[in-house]
């Protein structure tokens, strides 16, 4: 597999978390692409000989990834049930929804990311021989470029309702790019379109000595108020959190500190 840059490598950790969940007897989802990635790439971080603080950080991150996977899966499922047939994942990384979610036969899934990241993912897909469950269309474009035009060049129809995901993405973008992404999605989404977004507090937290994710947090930017930005752009939004999502799916947790991350779901107002 080709090499990824620092931001691209964060997708490996997400894939490993999804592969770990997929292997559990009580798994809340199964992700064949994540399992294929875990077979060819080593685990980014192991907590076996870590301090207690580091192990708790790893567990919290794992639960966060599982919860956001479920939450955003539900955003897409609700959109499909409402008759939406266009789905877009911004900063798609190594996302495996195109190989496992319940799309209708006439649906189209657009996966937008930088060319180097898309190339890595396509190499894994080819090596693993995994077949998509939807008309899957990788879109090689950086979000600082004209990604809306790239989407349309790949068959996206801005005059039709659409569903969007931005998972583990906005914290890695400068504030001005975040604002442009919110604006771009809002321009492309008709009334009753749907969106799901992860919202993390990317402030200047001082990592502890045993923080296994210090390098990741160093990549975060101070974002604008994401829910307020979507509300101002014409979306009706609501927030959830890790514990609530997992509880709704039958898994309770007892781990403090999970309130530092939120999950946003929105519907485009008419």
């Amino acid at each position: 597999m080709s090499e990824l840059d620092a931001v691209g490598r964060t997708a490996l950790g997400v894939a490993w978390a999804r592969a770990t969940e997929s292997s559990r007897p009580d798994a809340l989802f199964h992700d064949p692409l994540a399992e294929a990635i875990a077979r060819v790439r080593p685990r980014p971080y192991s907590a076996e000989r870590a301090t207690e603080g580091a192990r708790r950080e790893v567990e919290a991150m794992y639960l966060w990834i599982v919860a956001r996977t479920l939450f955003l899966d539900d955003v897409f499922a609700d959109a499909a049930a409402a008759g939406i047939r266009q789905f877009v994942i911004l900063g798609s990384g190594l996302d495996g929804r195109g190989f496992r979610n319940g799309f209708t036969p006439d649906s189209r899934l657009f996966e937008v990311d930088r060319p180097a990241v898309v190339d890595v993912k396509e190499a894994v897909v080819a090596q693993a021989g995994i077949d998509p469950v939807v008309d899957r269309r990788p879109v090689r474009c950086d979000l600082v470029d004209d990604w809306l035009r790239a989407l349309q060049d790949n068959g996206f129809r801005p005059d039709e309702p659409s569903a969007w995901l931005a998972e583990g993405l906005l914290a890695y973008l400068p504030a001005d790019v975040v604002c442009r992404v919110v604006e771009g999605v809002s321009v492309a989404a008709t009334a009753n379109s749907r969106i799901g977004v992860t919202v993390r507090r990317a402030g200047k937290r001082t990592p502890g000595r045993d923080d296994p994710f210090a390098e990741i947090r160093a990549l975060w930017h101070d974002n604008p108020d994401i829910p307020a930005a979507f509300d101002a752009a014409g979306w009706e939004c609501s927030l959830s959190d890790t514990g609530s999502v997992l509880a709704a799916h039958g898994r309770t947790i007892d781990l403090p500190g999970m309130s530092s991350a939120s999950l946003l779901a929105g519907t485009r107002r008419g």
Side-chain angles (χ1 to χ4, degrees):
M1 187 189 293
S2 303
E3 290 304 316
L4 296 164
D5 64 9
V7 174
R9 286 194 298 273
T10 64
L12 292 175
V14 175
W16 257 98
R18 288 178 172 154
T20 300
E21 178 65 24
S22 298
S23 69
R24 291 175 56 134
D26 62 344
L28 297 176
F29 57 81
H30 291 88
D31 191 322
L33 180 62
E35 292 175 307
I37 292 167
R39 287 194 293 269
V40 299
R41 276 294 178 111
R43 185 187 298 271
Y45 181 81
S46 174
E48 291 179 1
R49 290 184 293 276
T51 65
E52 178 62 25
R55 284 195 294 270
R56 290 178 69 83
E57 290 279 1
V58 171
E59 178 67 9
M61 182 66 77
Y62 170 75
L63 292 171
W64 161 241
I65 292 171
V66 172
R68 77 192 207 190
T69 301
L70 295 166
F71 181 87
L72 298 176
D73 281 357
D74 287 345
V75 170
F76 265 10
D78 291 346
I84 291 174
R85 298 295 178 258
Q86 293 190 116
F87 300 84
V88 183
I89 303 177
L90 297 175
S92 55
L94 301 176
D95 187 280
R97 289 184 172 88
F99 303 91
R100 63 179 180 81
N101 276 44
F103 297 97
T104 60
D106 56 340
S107 294
R108 302 182 300 280
L109 173 64
F110 302 90
E111 300 178 351
V112 184
D113 213 324
R114 295 171 296 155
V117 178
V118 174
D119 290 344
V120 167
K121 181 175 181 178
E122 295 311 295
V124 174
V125 170
Q127 180 179 348
I130 305 173
D131 293 322
V133 296
V134 66
D135 179 0
R136 176 176 163 268
R137 305 185 183 187
V139 179
R140 291 169 167 82
C141 191
D142 196 311
L143 291 175
V144 301
D145 297 325
D146 193 353
W147 55 271
L148 275 178
R149 173 59 61 87
L151 265 179
Q152 293 181 57
D153 289 346
N154 280 272
F156 179 83
R157 294 286 303 274
D159 58 332
E160 297 178 2
S162 48
W164 303 72
L165 298 186
E167 180 177 6
L169 170 68
L170 300 184
Y172 297 98
L173 301 178
D176 63 320
V177 178
V178 171
C179 292
R180 293 203 302 271
V181 168
V182 173
E183 179 183 359
V185 171
S186 303
V187 166
T190 65
N192 297 315
S193 292
R194 311 296 178 86
I195 195 164
V197 179
T198 57
V199 183
R200 294 191 66 90
R201 294 177 183 171
K204 302 302 183 182
R205 167 179 169 174
T206 302
R209 290 183 306 167
D210 57 355
D211 182 358
F213 303 113
E215 292 183 3
I216 292 176
R217 292 189 172 101
L219 299 171
W220 293 351
H221 292 264
D222 287 322
N223 282 167
D225 185 332
I226 302 298
F230 276 104
D231 181 73
W235 296 82
E236 191 73 37
C237 297
S238 61
L239 290 171
S240 190
D241 58 77
T242 302
S244 299
V245 172
L246 292 177
H249 287 268
R251 183 176 296 171
T252 58
I253 62 172
D254 181 18
L255 195 68
M258 299 308 297
S259 62
S260 63
S262 299
L263 294 147
L264 176 147
T267 301
R268 190 79 164 93
R269 293 192 288 265

